[in-house]
Amino acid sequence: MHVHEFQDMMRRIYFHRDSERAVVRTFNWLVEEVEELREALKEKDNEAIGDEFADVFAWLASLANVVNIDLEKAAIRKYNGRCPKCGQTLCKCPF
Amino acid sequence: MHVHEFQDMMRRIYFHRDSERAVVRTFNWLVEEVEELREALKEKDNEAIGDEFADVFAWLASLANVVNIDLEKAAIRKYNGRCPKCGQTLCKCPF
């Protein structure tokens, strides 16, 4: 599935709600999902970890819909086969 | 670009570093990128907002690589055209 197809799917399911919820509250949901991912990683439950990755990705795409950002285009523009900081295909930035 | 292609690109550029950095520190970088997205949203600078969305997505994919999760498969499993909570194609969950 293309990144923009996932973002479009999120729009179809959630945009009517996310647009009402607006930016700050949708962002806060994203933060909450990131916290749930932290918990799942601590528990080391692989199915829960997968679900929480899906949720963070879903809320990121939903938030992108609310602020009218094309996540796929933004990602390709910044990461086009190279590290945007050091410009290398195998990142050599200092840690 | 498919979600798994983006994740694979992240693996090629960053896995040699992310696997050394391990889960907790890679997760902390993700949290830092989410905070940078918050700041960009406050500033309402559209190019910066796009870049920060790209960074959060990149670190999410990198973290998925470290814990061996296929982000595309996880996303499709949980969100397959319907809200996973209410089961509707147009979410009707209470706010």
Side-chain angles (χ1 to χ4, degrees):
Chain A
M1 180 183 272
H2 285 262
V3 178
H4 71 85
E5 288 175 310
F6 185 71
Q7 185 171 353
D8 287 347
M9 183 171 78
M10 289 299 109
R11 186 180 294 111
R12 287 194 300 276
I13 305 174
Y14 295 111
F15 189 72
H16 62 297
R17 300 162 50 83
D18 293 339
S19 56
E20 272 186 58
R21 194 188 291 108
V23 179
V24 173
R25 287 173 63 201
T26 305
F27 181 88
N28 290 343
W29 271 103
L30 170 65
V31 170
E32 210 162 288
E33 293 300 340
V34 170
E35 278 310 306
E36 289 181 14
L37 175 58
R38 187 202 298 270
E39 292 306 314
L41 287 167
K42 272 188 201 159
E43 299 292 327
K44 298 186 178 177
D45 171 344
N46 252 11
E47 199 175 322
I49 290 171
D51 278 354
E52 295 303 337
F53 269 102
D55 286 344
V56 173
F57 185 29
W59 282 95
L60 186 68
S62 279
L63 182 62
N65 283 331
V66 174
V67 296
N68 205 24
I69 290 284
D70 183 318
L71 190 56
E72 179 166 328
K73 278 192 187 157
I76 292 172
R77 189 182 67 210
K78 184 144 192 190
Y79 294 88
N80 199 2
R82 292 174 183 275
C83 170
K85 281 193 184 154
C86 70
Q88 304 292 316
T89 52
L90 200 70
C91 174
K92 293 190 170 64
C93 292
F95 257 40
Chain B
M1 179 184 270
H2 284 261
V3 178
H4 72 84
E5 288 174 311
F6 185 72
Q7 184 171 354
D8 287 347
M9 183 170 78
M10 289 299 108
R11 185 181 293 109
R12 288 194 299 276
I13 306 174
Y14 294 112
F15 189 73
H16 62 296
R17 299 161 51 82
D18 294 338
S19 56
E20 273 186 57
R21 194 187 291 109
V23 180
V24 173
R25 287 173 63 202
T26 305
F27 181 87
N28 290 343
W29 271 104
L30 170 65
V31 170
E32 211 161 288
E33 293 300 340
V34 171
E35 280 308 306
E36 289 181 14
L37 175 58
R38 186 201 300 268
E39 292 305 313
L41 288 167
K42 274 189 200 158
E43 299 291 329
K44 299 187 177 177
D45 170 343
N46 251 11
E47 198 175 322
I49 290 171
D51 278 355
E52 295 304 336
F53 269 102
D55 286 344
V56 173
F57 185 30
W59 281 96
L60 186 68
S62 278
L63 182 62
N65 283 330
V66 173
V67 295
N68 206 25
I69 291 285
D70 184 319
L71 190 56
E72 179 167 328
K73 277 191 188 158
I76 292 173
R77 189 183 66 209
K78 184 145 191 189
Y79 294 87
N80 201 3
R82 293 174 182 274
C83 170
K85 281 191 185 157
C86 69
Q88 303 294 314
T89 53
L90 199 71
C91 173
K92 294 191 171 61
C93 292
F95 256 40

